[in-house]
Amino acid sequence: MTAQAMVGGQHDEEAGGKLNRKITGPLLYLFILGDVLGAGVYALMGVLAAKVGGVLWAPLLVALVLALLTAGSYAELVTKYPKAGGAAVFAERAFGKPLVSFLVGFAMLAAGVTSAAGLALAFAGDYLATFIDVPMVPAAIGFLALVAALNARGISESVKSNVVMTVIELSGLVIVIAAGAMLIGRGGGDVSRVGQFPAESVPALAILAGAIIAYYSFVGFETSANVAEEIRRPAKVYPAALFGALVTAGIVYVLVGIASSVSLPPEELSRSSGPLLEVVSVSGLAVPEWVFSAIALVAVANGALLTMIMSSRLAFGMAEHRLLPGVLARVLPRRRTPWVAIVATTAVAMVLTLVGDLSTLAETVVLLLLFVFISTNVAVLVLRREHLERKHFRVWTPVPVLGVASCVMLLTQQTATVWLFGAILLAVGVVLYVLARAATRRADRPKP
């Protein structure tokens, strides 16, 4: 990937825009890193161990490469069009079809609010029960309300809170890496396991199956596209922050995978619901169980905050482009945060917490995200015809092509049930689109 610049020199990306540009390069790096690391990694190693045995590092590396392909397309489009709305805005510019733009944005929006609801339930479940026993659904709704308040206060406050939470979240993974290193230093564990696949497995197929799971641990980088309008000098800082965060997460994941494989046999890892806690325990490192529970809570809270930031900015951007009702584009006068979009997306997430079991819906959202990524990769190639008088990142042309191929490969692994739910969700999106267009036409109709 090369950062070639388009001709021209007007630095007009700071001008205009209703949102406040408060996100610096370091804050953006930590924003993306915090969203990519997420809460899932604390259970990921057990699931991967069942697929690849002790070779946990291999699918993580493959997943990193797949994620970097689509990330390259995001880097070009975000720096070329630094506006809130992300993939929906890119689709609108590239394809000129309002329905396509709406469905791309709708898929992202559904992913965001569903993910936030699931994270809220996770926060209010076993993690919180370590400290206090409260009913799950009310606790989840209260948690979402607090997240919304922080989101509405301002993007600067939100991303600064993310800095603290990302550091805490990362510290838990560093403890796991240190535990593995300490075990090896004492002559314990079994280093040979890092090259051992399950008996009778085909290594290439096992790595692919593991990479499909590991890929989801890197999903989250696309969230940053929806705060593009709040980034200072996006053409300069966005690509470095995006690729830097993904590579950092990949290195951390690989080291955690090696530490896990060396510390415990894959059979024990796959049976545990808290594999990383098992790794720390077997190493003899004196870390109380409540410390890891606290770190997991912070990881979940951080994921929810970043997801709701994305969802509200996406709703705002779609409203700005008349893909959703214009009321969602209203911002607080002093804070310059999209308060109506924040309230609306939080309300939907709260309703989804009442469902309780969101596993099938979450898998469906992942399916839809892969379509979003295909749209973004294709949009890069289509929008090459637009030459702007502004410097921006330019990705190597084969990268988005390979990005589309990687998404198609992952789509082939989805079940029929997930495809059915995806079709239903898209049908709901079409209905909402028709209603939004009808409302827009009524508003544009001249008054007698």
Side-chain angles (χ1 to χ4, degrees):
M1 300 180 188
T2 57
Q4 300 171 350
M6 300 292 290
V7 293
Q10 270 195 347
H11 296 282
D12 59 348
E13 56 197 36
E14 300 285 340
K18 295 167 66 176
L19 303 181
N20 208 2
R21 293 192 181 273
K22 289 289 189 178
I23 304 178
T24 62
L27 287 176
L28 180 62
Y29 167 80
L30 290 171
F31 180 100
I32 300 171
L33 181 62
D35 213 5
V36 170
L37 288 177
V41 68
Y42 288 92
L44 177 68
M45 297 307 156
V47 179
L48 282 180
K51 299 289 185 181
V52 296
V55 195
L56 297 171
W57 54 271
L60 290 164
L61 279 179
V62 172
L64 172 62
V65 172
L66 295 179
L68 285 171
L69 294 174
T70 297
S73 296
Y74 272 91
E76 176 165 336
L77 292 177
V78 168
T79 56
K80 193 174 183 180
Y81 310 106
K83 294 290 184 181
V89 173
F90 307 150
E92 181 185 34
R93 281 184 172 270
F95 310 122
K97 302 291 185 182
L99 178 58
V100 174
S101 305
F102 179 86
L103 290 176
V104 169
F106 180 79
M108 284 294 301
L109 202 54
V113 296
T114 304
S115 176
L119 289 170
L121 288 170
F123 184 94
D126 293 336
Y127 294 135
L128 187 61
T130 303
F131 302 95
I132 183 173
D133 189 12
V134 292
M136 179 179 288
V137 172
I141 292 174
F143 168 71
L144 286 171
L146 291 175
V147 169
L150 181 56
N151 192 358
R153 180 168 175 80
I155 191 65
S156 178
E157 289 81 357
S158 296
V159 295
K160 285 175 181 176
S161 298
N162 168 63
V163 170
V164 177
M165 290 190 282
T166 298
V167 169
I168 294 172
E169 183 179 338
L170 186 57
S171 69
L173 302 179
V174 171
I175 289 173
V176 174
I177 296 169
M182 190 175 77
L183 188 63
I184 295 173
R186 292 205 317 261
D190 186 353
V191 178
S192 68
R193 278 197 291 259
V194 300
Q196 295 176 357
F197 288 92
E200 301 181 1
S201 67
V202 179
L205 295 179
I207 291 174
L208 176 60
I212 293 166
I213 297 169
Y215 181 81
Y216 301 143
S217 67
F218 288 97
V219 169
F221 65 85
E222 77 284 348
T223 298
S224 58
N226 295 288
V227 296
E229 203 167 326
E230 295 164 281
I231 300 172
R232 295 178 185 173
R233 299 183 299 163
K236 180 178 180 181
V237 306
Y238 186 82
L242 176 61
F243 297 131
L246 279 173
V247 171
T248 300
I251 292 172
V252 170
Y253 284 159
V254 167
L255 292 176
V256 168
I258 292 173
S260 301
S261 179
V262 168
S263 301
L264 289 170
E267 296 79 15
E268 291 187 34
L269 285 172
S270 62
R271 287 197 301 265
S272 175
S273 60
L276 299 190
L277 183 57
E278 297 286 344
V279 171
V280 175
S281 298
V282 78
S283 72
L285 195 63
V287 178
E289 185 174 337
W290 68 265
V291 171
F292 252 78
S293 294
I295 290 173
L297 278 176
V298 170
V300 171
N302 195 31
L305 173 62
L306 298 182
T307 299
M308 290 309 295
I309 289 174
M310 178 277 290
S311 300
S312 58
R313 270 55 178 187
L314 175 55
F316 166 85
M318 291 179 70
E320 285 275 275
H321 288 79
R322 300 167 69 89
L323 297 172
L324 284 176
V327 66
L328 292 170
R330 292 183 182 176
V331 299
L332 290 173
R334 291 182 57 197
R335 293 288 174 182
R336 294 174 70 185
T337 52
W339 71 273
V340 177
I342 291 170
V343 170
T345 52
T346 301
V348 174
M350 287 178 172
V351 170
L352 287 173
T353 62
L354 302 176
V355 176
D357 181 13
L358 299 173
S359 58
T360 302
L361 186 55
E363 291 179 23
T364 305
V365 167
V366 171
L367 172 77
L368 295 176
L369 278 179
L370 290 173
F371 282 110
V372 172
F373 291 166
I374 290 174
S375 169
T376 301
N377 282 306
V378 174
V380 168
L381 301 175
V382 174
L383 291 171
R384 288 281 173 85
R385 65 194 177 198
E386 288 190 10
H387 297 277
L388 303 184
E389 297 300 314
R390 175 193 300 138
K391 293 181 179 179
H392 67 82
F393 181 90
R394 184 180 173 92
V395 73
W396 188 39
T397 301
V399 170
V401 176
L402 293 173
V404 171
S406 69
C407 291
V408 171
M409 178 188 68
L410 294 172
L411 282 172
T412 62
Q413 306 303 310
Q414 307 301 322
T415 65
T417 301
V418 171
W419 280 98
L420 175 61
F421 274 84
I424 293 172
L425 195 53
L426 284 175
V428 172
V430 171
V431 172
L432 291 176
Y433 168 78
V434 171
L435 293 176
R437 294 291 289 180
T440 299
R441 283 194 295 268
R442 283 197 301 270
D444 291 342
R445 192 175 300 156
K447 295 180 179 180

